């Protein structure tokens, strides 16, 4: 993202927002909810599955909170920008969004790995 010219950056963020927002609004809460039955079913019978699933749940919760609390507000700002209204600190906001995006991806992948390991048990 750092290498894109401002007009390309604005177009990419706008396109990603239009494509991802409707899907993620449904997908992320459904993913969180889908872990709950696994937690309930494994609680007494499979402690290792329960612990791994609990870790997955909390890691995904981190990803969800980063998305809702940090990333979405930044994207909502960015999609209102045009080349003529680009704020002076747009690079700092872009970089902040990217840092938190990395945190979200790491938490999401770690959550998935925890669920996959739990499935092996």
């Amino acid at each position: 993202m750092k290498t894109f010219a401002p007009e390309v950056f604005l177009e990419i963020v706008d396109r990603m927002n239009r494509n991802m927002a409707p899907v993620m609004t449904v997908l992320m809460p459904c993913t969180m909810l889908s872990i709950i039955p696994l937690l309930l079913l494994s609680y007494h019978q499979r402690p290792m599955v329960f612990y791994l699933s609990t870790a997955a749940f909390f890691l995904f919760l981190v990803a969800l909170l980063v998305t809702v609390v940090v990333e979405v507000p930044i994207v909502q700002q960015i999609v209102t920008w045009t080349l003529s209204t680009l704020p002076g600190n747009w690079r700092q906001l872009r970089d902040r969004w990217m840092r938190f995006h990395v945190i979200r991806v790491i938490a999401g992948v770690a959550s998935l790995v925890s669920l996959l390991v739990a499935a092996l048990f």
Side-chain angles (χ1 to χ4, degrees):
M1 290 293 220
K2 288 184 177 191
T3 62
F4 294 123
E7 60 273 8
V8 176
F9 171 73
L10 292 175
E11 181 60 35
I12 289 171
V13 172
D14 181 60
R15 178 62 54 125
M16 285 174 43
N17 184 55
R18 284 188 284 128
N19 290 344
M20 300 295 285
V23 174
M24 296 306 272
T25 301
V26 174
L27 187 61
M28 289 190 83
C30 287
T31 301
M32 288 288 300
L33 293 174
S34 71
I35 299 172
I36 293 172
L38 181 58
L39 291 171
L40 296 174
L41 293 171
S42 65
Y43 180 67
H44 288 295
Q45 297 156 340
R46 300 200 183 268
M48 184 59 72
V49 172
F50 176 76
Y51 296 132
L52 288 166
S53 301
T54 300
F57 182 84
F58 284 110
L59 286 164
F60 199 83
L61 182 61
V62 167
L64 180 63
L65 288 173
V66 166
T67 301
V68 172
V69 173
V70 179
E71 288 191 297
V72 169
I74 292 173
V75 169
Q76 287 175 340
Q77 280 183 308
I78 293 171
V79 297
T80 65
W81 299 345
T82 64
L83 278 178
S84 60
T85 64
L86 204 62
N89 68 337
W90 76 272
R91 286 181 182 86
Q92 288 84 8
L93 286 168
R94 175 202 61 201
D95 294 346
R96 178 177 162 81
W97 178 82
M98 287 299 298
R99 283 191 304 274
F100 277 95
H101 181 72
V102 169
I103 292 168
R104 179 176 66 93
V105 168
I106 290 170
V109 169
S111 175
L112 177 61
V113 168
S114 294
L115 285 174
L116 291 173
V117 172
L120 295 175
F121 283 99

